[in-house]
mmCIF file of all heavy atoms in Angstrom:
data_model
loop_
_atom_site.group_PDB
_atom_site.id
_atom_site.type_symbol
_atom_site.label_atom_id
_atom_site.label_comp_id
_atom_site.label_asym_id
_atom_site.label_seq_id
_atom_site.Cartn_x
_atom_site.Cartn_y
_atom_site.Cartn_z
ATOM 1 N N SER A 30 58.890 3.571 27.542
ATOM 2 C CA SER A 30 57.946 2.966 26.601
ATOM 3 C C SER A 30 58.713 2.503 25.358
ATOM 4 O O SER A 30 59.689 1.752 25.494
ATOM 5 C CB SER A 30 56.839 3.963 26.261
ATOM 6 O OG SER A 30 55.856 3.378 25.451
ATOM 7 N N PRO A 44 75.509 11.507 12.312
ATOM 8 C CA PRO A 44 74.760 10.283 12.573
ATOM 9 C C PRO A 44 73.637 10.083 11.553
ATOM 10 O O PRO A 44 73.105 11.045 10.998
ATOM 11 C CB PRO A 44 74.190 10.507 13.971
ATOM 12 C CG PRO A 44 75.140 11.479 14.606
ATOM 13 C CD PRO A 44 75.547 12.382 13.489
ATOM 14 N N SER A 52 61.532 -0.225 17.118
ATOM 15 C CA SER A 52 61.572 -1.365 16.201
ATOM 16 C C SER A 52 61.204 -1.042 14.754
ATOM 17 O O SER A 52 61.155 -1.967 13.933
ATOM 18 C CB SER A 52 60.619 -2.461 16.709
ATOM 19 O OG SER A 52 59.296 -1.976 16.770
ATOM 20 N N PRO A 59 68.914 -0.938 5.309
ATOM 21 C CA PRO A 59 68.851 -2.382 4.978
ATOM 22 C C PRO A 59 68.123 -3.198 6.041
ATOM 23 O O PRO A 59 68.225 -2.897 7.236
ATOM 24 C CB PRO A 59 70.317 -2.778 4.888
ATOM 25 C CG PRO A 59 71.044 -1.518 4.556
ATOM 26 C CD PRO A 59 70.295 -0.426 5.267
ATOM 27 N N SER A 67 61.186 -2.645 24.839
ATOM 28 C CA SER A 67 60.280 -1.605 25.334
ATOM 29 C C SER A 67 60.519 -1.460 26.837
ATOM 30 O O SER A 67 61.101 -2.353 27.463
ATOM 31 C CB SER A 67 58.821 -1.929 25.057
ATOM 32 O OG SER A 67 58.409 -3.059 25.793
ATOM 33 N N GLY A 96 64.086 16.999 27.480
ATOM 34 C CA GLY A 96 64.939 16.727 26.342
ATOM 35 C C GLY A 96 65.276 15.302 26.052
ATOM 36 O O GLY A 96 64.763 14.368 26.635
ATOM 37 N N PHE A 99 71.256 10.728 24.640
ATOM 38 C CA PHE A 99 71.902 9.693 23.848
ATOM 39 C C PHE A 99 72.650 8.726 24.775
ATOM 40 O O PHE A 99 73.134 9.122 25.836
ATOM 41 C CB PHE A 99 72.930 10.310 22.887
ATOM 42 C CG PHE A 99 72.316 11.085 21.755
ATOM 43 C CD1 PHE A 99 72.100 12.449 21.885
ATOM 44 C CD2 PHE A 99 71.984 10.460 20.573
ATOM 45 C CE1 PHE A 99 71.534 13.183 20.847
ATOM 46 C CE2 PHE A 99 71.428 11.186 19.522
ATOM 47 C CZ PHE A 99 71.198 12.541 19.664
#
Side-chain angles (χ1 to χ4, degrees):
Chain A
S30 185
S52 60
S67 66
F99 289 92

